[in-house]
Amino acid sequence: MDLSRLHPQARAALGVQRREPLTVANLTAVRHSMVAAVPDEVGLVHAPGTVVDVDANGVPARLFRHGTAVVVYAHGGGWVLGDLDTHDGLCRALAAETGWSVLAVDYRRAPEHPFPAAPDDLDTALAWLRSSGPALGLDPARIAVAGDSAGGHLATVAARRARDAGRPPAAQLLICPVVEPAQDYPDLDDYGLHREEMAFFWDAYVPPGVDRSAADLSPHLADLAGMPPTVIVTAELDILRPEAERYAAALSAAGVPVVSACYQGMVHNFPRKLALFDAAHAALAQLGAALRHWVPVA
């Protein structure tokens, strides 16, 4: 590892989360280690409005109410890890930066619930928001989707599905997203996310025999015309950066307004770790600024 490539804060962040062996048998410990690291990585983030857990037509979700427009959020964790608590601080900060409410979706995780459980849960939550949102003071005509890492994958799949159904979201905000199942990664394993981990996540998420070239698994291969305005935040030293940048270029070639920003010296999913990275706050401010530009808050 070339430590000189890392931002000083990224160097200091190495090893904050205890690294457990990533196996199916050890998933309980791995999931717990991600939760246990939240106080050190994320810290205490105050919500700008009220926070309430809701039932979105059978899908557990958490609503951070802060305005009538809503960002539907899918957490990261390789479709296997993460939950409402690991991403609670990020969603609070996102609500504060955007001026929008945030609906965090606790979708079913692999390998217990492989594809297509997670994207189907996102679809269910979106349908619930459109039907029940007005009773909660939320505007079903002003919905964006967002997510980090594997949650970014779920968010853009949800956006494309909604577009195909004639109900495209107003925008999509993607943080260090997974986009391609080919796993053609640069040699950046030492800086955080490892290719072996991504291989485990993909195999857990996609059952044998499923065509990974289908649009729900390879969103970069879909027809991208008419996709919503998009912000993609990447980290220089993240193995997922090249595929996210290729996706940004493909969206742009399809005529989609795109902002793609690479944060130098940063590592995978730095924006969630608000207690460790000044760049996390800058990235969320950038997401908020783009969203307010494309969809002004009423």
Side-chain angles (χ1 to χ4, degrees):
M1 180 192 303
D2 181 0
L3 291 176
S4 68
R5 300 182 67 184
L6 284 166
H7 186 281
Q9 290 179 336
R11 275 181 244 152
L14 291 174
V16 170
Q17 179 181 343
R18 178 177 177 179
R19 205 172 197 101
E20 293 281 351
L22 185 56
T23 64
V24 172
N26 199 44
L27 271 187
T28 298
V30 180
R31 287 167 172 166
H32 177 73
S33 72
M34 189 173 181
V35 175
V38 167
D40 291 328
E41 292 183 333
V42 184
L44 179 63
V45 182
H46 295 287
T50 59
V51 181
V52 59
D53 288 345
V54 297
D55 182 331
N57 284 348
V59 178
R62 183 168 296 167
L63 178 62
F64 303 82
R65 192 196 301 270
H66 184 51
T68 59
V70 189
V71 175
V72 175
Y73 198 89
H75 67 78
W79 307 283
V80 171
L81 313 174
D83 55 26
L84 296 179
D85 293 330
T86 59
H87 285 66
D88 185 272
L90 176 58
C91 289
R92 289 169 184 256
L94 186 61
E97 288 290 354
T98 61
W100 289 40
S101 293
V102 175
L103 181 71
V105 180
D106 195 16
Y107 58 83
R108 288 170 291 171
R109 298 179 298 188
E112 298 92 336
H113 303 283
F115 173 83
D120 287 351
D121 284 353
L122 264 290
D123 287 352
T124 298
L126 279 165
W128 172 83
L129 183 58
R130 293 190 185 103
S131 63
S132 302
L136 298 170
L138 305 174
D139 185 354
R142 296 165 67 238
I143 296 173
V145 295
D148 60 285
S149 195
H153 184 279
L154 294 175
T156 200
V157 168
R160 196 213 78 252
R161 285 181 168 192
R163 179 208 62 184
D164 292 349
R167 300 291 297 273
Q172 57 177 357
L173 314 176
L174 311 179
I175 299 170
C176 300
V178 179
V179 184
E180 302 173 10
Q183 302 173 58
D184 181 17
Y185 301 131
D187 186 15
L188 295 172
D189 292 49
D190 289 343
Y191 297 99
L193 181 62
H194 297 186
R195 66 190 67 210
E196 290 82 6
E197 291 174 316
M198 284 306 304
F200 175 90
F201 292 144
W202 272 111
D203 290 342
Y205 180 52
V206 185
V210 175
D211 180 9
R212 290 188 181 182
S213 67
D216 282 351
L217 295 171
S218 294
H220 65 296
L221 298 181
D223 175 10
L224 300 178
M227 287 289 281
T230 303
V231 184
I232 299 181
V233 169
T234 62
E236 180 194 8
L237 302 176
D238 180 6
I239 64 171
L240 300 181
R241 174 183 51 78
E243 65 189 61
E245 291 177 341
R246 287 192 292 268
Y247 189 47
L251 287 165
S252 181
V256 177
V258 178
V259 173
S260 178
C262 176
Y263 283 71
Q264 300 301 302
M266 289 292 108
V267 294
H268 179 67
N269 227 9
F270 71 92
R272 185 181 72 87
K273 300 172 183 178
L274 293 155
L276 301 180
F277 296 107
D278 292 334
H281 301 269
L284 292 183
Q286 184 172 33
L287 295 176
L291 191 56
R292 288 190 298 273
H293 171 71
W294 284 324
V295 193
V297 174

